[in-house]
Amino acid sequence: PPPPPVRADIIGPVIDEDRIGIWWGRGDRSSELIDATRLDGRFPIVSGDDLLALVHQNAGQNKLDTHLRRELDYQLEIVDGIGDGTITVTLHNDLADLTLPDSIIANNDQGYPAGTNVARLTVHTALTFQAALLDGQDVTVDRQLAFGHDAITVLIDVPPGGSRTLVLQVRGEIVSDPYQLTLPHQPLVNHDDVTISVTVEGKAIELPASLALSADTVLATPG
């Protein structure tokens, strides 16, 4: 086998993209190594900071995530320590070839047309859920507590060549000063396109306006 440095060069990018994880039941030095190398795959826990994450599960029993693109837009206004946020998630199904085998594009016994991407989408937020719209219409969501924060789940079917847009309104206290936003990354075929706009007391703060989310990312203003 290749020497450890070569193996590290090979597996390092895979770890950075959260594409491999290890759980070790015993609390010994092996567990410490797994934690130190980020192989634990742990969901980030934040306290006082802001957090936003998308977790998608393919509920269509097919292989259509190769053709899935996700766009995430986050608009946040903070006044007197209270944040009012609008989270917009757009799912694009770029499938163009409906002649692919059923094992790739069909939905088995679920009744959706071939090529439909059925997404069970969960939005994790450090703020408190207020309202939701899917393509401009009221939508029923499943709201639960996960990792100490709101987790909002919606089942969304995206037709081939189509797009669906989910908009969530959130509100809550932002304790951290300077502002800090944690963006956990879900490893998918295509990286998320993320745009962010944050104002504090009416003044825009310095954060990257857009990025391709390819790894767990923490954005913070100079403090």
Side-chain angles (χ1 to χ4, degrees):
V6 175
R7 280 179 277 176
D9 289 341
I10 294 172
I11 201 173
V14 180
I15 295 174
D16 287 340
E17 291 190 1
D18 300 324
R19 297 187 183 277
I20 185 172
I22 297 175
W23 180 81
W24 192 263
R26 297 183 300 182
D28 55 18
R29 295 190 63 184
S30 297
S31 297
E32 296 175 4
L33 176 62
I34 291 169
D35 290 346
T37 55
R38 304 191 310 280
L39 276 167
D40 57 293
R42 184 176 302 156
F43 191 90
I45 304 298
V46 301
S47 178
D49 299 331
D50 202 1
L51 174 142
L52 180 58
L54 300 183
V55 177
H56 161 263
Q57 299 178 60
N58 185 324
Q61 303 177 20
N62 53 37
K63 308 298 182 184
L64 285 174
D65 288 350
T66 301
H67 306 275
L68 175 71
R69 289 187 298 111
R70 307 192 312 190
E71 294 180 359
L72 171 62
D73 180 80
Y74 188 35
Q75 307 288 322
L76 179 68
E77 297 181 0
I78 303 173
V79 177
D80 295 331
I82 301 298
D84 283 291
T86 300
I87 302 167
T88 303
V89 182
T90 303
L91 303 181
H92 302 278
N93 181 354
D94 292 336
L95 177 70
D97 186 0
L98 291 176
T99 66
L100 292 171
D102 285 350
S103 59
I104 297 176
I105 67 172
N107 294 276
N108 297 333
D109 59 352
Q110 298 186 46
Y112 293 99
T116 302
N117 191 310
V118 187
R120 181 172 287 107
L121 183 73
T122 300
V123 180
H124 295 264
T125 171
L127 305 184
T128 302
F129 170 73
Q130 302 293 308
L133 296 174
L134 180 60
D135 296 335
Q137 303 296 319
D138 291 336
V139 62
T140 300
V141 305
D142 179 16
R143 177 187 177 192
Q144 297 186 5
L145 189 67
F147 309 109
H149 300 293
D150 269 9
I152 312 304
T153 300
V154 184
L155 189 67
I156 304 174
D157 57 283
V158 190
S163 302
R164 306 290 303 276
T165 299
L166 175 69
V167 178
L168 302 180
Q169 300 295 332
V170 294
R171 179 179 173 85
E173 187 177 18
I174 300 291
V175 178
S176 61
D177 186 14
Y179 174 81
Q180 181 167 294
L181 172 64
T182 297
L183 295 165
H185 163 255
Q186 181 185 14
L188 295 172
V189 176
N190 303 305
H191 297 319
D192 292 339
D193 292 323
V194 180
T195 57
I196 301 168
S197 174
V198 180
T199 63
V200 179
E201 309 299 336
K203 181 180 179 180
I205 61 176
E206 296 181 7
L207 287 172
S210 61
L211 67 153
L213 190 64
S214 59
D216 290 348
T217 301
V218 177
L219 304 177
T221 57

